[in-house]
Amino acid sequence: MSRRQPRGPRLPTWTATLTWKAAVFITVMCCALAALLGALVHVSVTNQTVGQARERALSRLKEVTERYEAGDRLGPGAGVDPAGLPDRLHDLAANGRRGTMVAAPESRPTMWAAGPADGERVIAVQVDYAQGARTIDGLDRAILGSSVLAIGATLLVGAFAVTRVTRRLHQTAQVARRISAGDLDARVRDPHSRPSDTGAPRHQDEVAAVAGALDTMASTLQGKLLSEQRFTADVAHELRTPLTGLHAAAELLPPGRPTELVRDRVAALRTLTEDLLEISRLDAKSERVDLDAHQLAPLAERVVRSSGEGTELVVVRDVCVETDRRRLERVLGNLVANAHKHGRPPVLVTVDGPLVTVRDHGDGFPDYLVEHGPQRFRTEGTSSKGHGLGLTIALGQAAVLGARLTFSDAVDGGAVATLRLPFEESADDDGRPGRDERGGPPGAT
C-alpha cells in the first residue's frame, strides 16, 4: 500500500493573489530583459574598445618594427623580449605571427602587441589600456543602475495597473456574493461598461465585459423574481374572495361525511392561500417587526400547548429577549407542525438561553434541505418526504426577527431545527436555569 508523499511547506495565502503573481512575472521578465540587453551592450562596447586599442597597438608595433630593422631607437614602451610580456603572446610571436593581448601588470591594464624580430627573439610594444577598462567598468555600472531603476519603475507602474484591474475584479466578486445572498439590487456599475457621453458604444476590456454581464444577469433575475412574486401575490389575492364565499357555502351544507370533506379541503385551501400571501410579503421585504421584551420559556410553552399531545418542552435556561411575539410563535409553531407531519414523536422543544431547538425522532431532513435550506413544495420520491411552505415561512420570519434558523440531523436519528435569537448577555443574567410561567422549575410539559 503506497503512502502519500508529504507535501512541502504551504505558501501564504497572499501568494495566490493575481497582484503577487503579476509582480513576480513582471520582475522575472524585467530582470531577464535587462540581463539580455546589458549583455549585448557590454559585449558590443567591449569589442569596440578592445578593437580600437588593438589597432593602436598593431600600428605602433609596425612603426617599432620598421625602426628596429633600420637600427633606430625603439622608443618608450617597446623592446625586444621585454619583461612582463605574456607567455602565450611570446610563443605566438616566436612562431612568426603577430598578435595582441590585454594584461594587467601591477593592476594596470595594458594592451600588448608582439611580432617576430630575428631568430627566436620577439619585438613587442605595450599601449595603456586603463582608459578603455575604466570605460567598460563605468558602462557596466551604468547598465546595472539603469536596470535596477527600470525594474523598479516597471514594477510600480505594473503594480498600479494590476491593482486597478484586481480592485475591479474584487468589486465584481463582492457584488456577485451579495446577489447570491439575496441582495438583487446590488450592481457593479463599472464605468468602463457604460456607453460614452456621445451615446456610441465604448470599447470594453474583459473586466468591464464581466461586470456588465453580471449586472445584466442580476437585472434579468430580479425582473423574473419580481414577476413571480407579483404573480403569486395576485393569485393569492384573487383566491381569497371565492374561497371566502366557498367557506360560507360549505357552512350551510347539511351535516355528513361529504360536508366534512368539503370543509376540510376548503380550510386547507384557505391556509395555503394565506401562506402564499405571507410568502409574497416576505419576498417583498414589507414586513415590520413589533419588538417587545418577552420571556422565551412562556412563549415556547404556549406553542407546545397549542400543538397538542406528543410535544415536550425542556427549559435549560430562560432569558428575556427583544422580539416580536407573534412572529416568534409563528416560527416555532411551523417547526413543531413540520416535526409532527414529517417526523415521528416525541417532538422535543428545548430552550437554552436564546437558543431554541425543535427535534423529532423520524428519519431526519432530506440532504438538499440540510445543505441548501427549505425549498417551496419540494418533494423527494414520495409525498411523505415533501416539505411545503411551513419551513420556508419559518425561515423568512426568522430573518425578519434577525434570528438564525439552521437545519441538521441528530447523531442518533431525527431532524433538528435550531433557532438562535439575537441576545446580549446582561449583568442581571446569572446563568441559572429559568422557571416556567407557573413559577415552578423547568421541566417537561
Side-chain angles (χ1 to χ4, degrees):
M1 181 177 181
S2 60
R3 295 183 179 179
R4 179 178 296 180
Q5 296 294 332
R7 296 183 178 179
R10 301 187 64 178
L11 295 176
T13 305
W14 57 267
T15 58
T17 60
L18 183 61
T19 303
W20 184 84
K21 293 179 181 178
V24 172
F25 176 77
I26 293 174
T27 302
V28 172
M29 293 302 297
C30 286
C31 291
L33 183 60
L36 177 61
L37 293 179
L40 292 177
V41 173
H42 173 82
V43 171
S44 177
V45 174
T46 300
N47 290 338
Q48 183 179 0
T49 304
V50 173
Q52 293 175 353
R54 181 180 292 112
E55 290 178 359
R56 292 198 305 270
L58 291 175
S59 178
R60 176 79 186 283
L61 178 63
K62 182 179 180 181
E63 295 177 1
V64 170
T65 302
E66 292 176 353
R67 289 182 181 181
Y68 177 75
E69 292 175 349
D72 297 336
R73 291 184 59 184
L74 299 183
V80 178
D81 292 334
L85 180 65
D87 295 337
R88 292 178 56 190
L89 186 57
H90 182 278
D91 295 340
L92 179 68
N95 292 329
R97 299 172 60 185
R98 290 186 175 186
T100 59
M101 181 177 291
V102 177
E106 298 179 358
S107 301
R108 184 175 181 82
T110 301
M111 173 67 73
W112 286 92
D118 52 3
E120 294 182 356
R121 295 193 302 173
V122 299
I123 186 172
V125 297
Q126 54 181 337
V127 177
D128 186 15
Y129 189 66
Q131 181 63 36
R134 286 194 297 269
T135 300
I136 295 176
D137 291 341
L139 176 66
D140 291 342
R141 288 192 296 269
I143 291 175
L144 181 60
S146 60
S147 298
V148 172
L149 182 62
I151 291 174
T154 305
L155 272 177
L156 290 177
V157 175
F160 174 74
V162 172
T163 302
R164 291 190 60 187
V165 174
T166 54
R167 187 184 301 115
R168 294 165 60 194
L169 288 175
H170 284 309
Q171 181 183 2
T172 303
Q174 184 179 5
V175 171
R177 285 190 289 267
R178 289 172 55 189
I179 293 174
S180 64
D183 184 8
L184 298 181
D185 293 326
R187 298 291 185 274
V188 181
R189 296 185 175 90
D190 194 310
H192 297 81
S193 62
R194 302 174 185 173
S196 60
D197 297 337
T198 60
R202 178 179 296 177
H203 297 291
Q204 299 181 358
D205 57 12
E206 288 78 1
V207 180
V210 172
L214 181 63
D215 287 347
T216 302
M217 181 196 69
S219 299
T220 304
L221 179 62
Q222 185 179 33
K224 290 182 177 180
L225 289 179
L226 291 177
S227 177
E228 292 180 0
Q229 291 172 10
R230 286 193 297 268
F231 175 77
T232 302
D234 292 343
V235 168
H237 278 290
E238 292 297 328
L239 286 176
R240 294 184 78 178
T241 301
L243 280 176
T244 302
L246 187 60
H247 178 73
E251 294 295 328
L252 299 177
L253 294 176
R257 180 60 179 167
T259 301
E260 294 179 359
L261 292 176
V262 171
R263 290 176 179 174
D264 179 70
R265 293 300 89 195
V266 170
L269 192 55
R270 290 187 66 182
T271 301
L272 177 60
T273 303
E274 295 299 328
D275 289 345
L276 288 174
L277 284 173
E278 187 172 357
I279 285 181
S280 66
R281 290 193 299 268
L282 291 173
D283 289 340
K285 301 185 185 303
S286 59
E287 298 281 23
R288 297 293 181 269
V289 293
D290 183 15
L291 297 179
D292 199 357
H294 297 280
Q295 290 295 131
L296 195 53
L299 288 178
E301 185 172 359
R302 276 196 292 270
V303 173
V304 169
R305 188 183 301 115
S306 62
S307 65
E309 298 181 356
T311 306
E312 299 178 2
L313 172 64
V314 175
V315 181
V316 178
R317 182 170 65 99
D318 190 14
V319 293
C320 183
V321 295
E322 289 283 338
T323 188
D324 189 325
R325 181 186 60 80
R326 180 183 63 84
R327 297 184 189 279
L328 180 57
E329 290 182 353
R330 173 69 160 159
V331 173
L332 296 180
N334 281 14
L335 295 179
V336 172
N338 183 81
H340 280 290
K341 182 176 181 181
H342 300 286
R344 287 192 294 270
V347 175
L348 185 64
V349 179
T350 304
V351 177
D352 187 2
L355 196 67
V356 182
T357 58
V358 178
R359 178 191 173 181
D360 61 50
H361 292 75
D363 298 330
F365 289 118
D367 293 337
Y368 78 87
L369 193 147
V370 176
E371 184 175 357
H372 302 290
Q375 301 179 21
R376 302 169 189 179
F377 299 112
R378 170 137 182 199
T379 59
E380 283 207 345
T382 61
S383 58
S384 61
K385 296 188 67 176
H387 292 263
L389 300 177
L391 294 183
T392 304
I393 293 175
L395 188 65
Q397 293 290 6
V400 173
L401 293 174
R404 184 186 179 198
L405 180 59
T406 57
F407 304 93
S408 61
D409 290 333
V411 178
D412 53 348
V416 180
T418 304
L419 179 68
R420 182 178 293 276
L421 294 165
F423 177 74
E424 295 183 1
E425 294 284 350
S426 61
D428 296 335
D429 186 7
D430 56 6
R432 293 178 299 178
R435 305 177 70 87
D436 62 23
E437 66 177 358
R438 297 165 299 189
T445 302

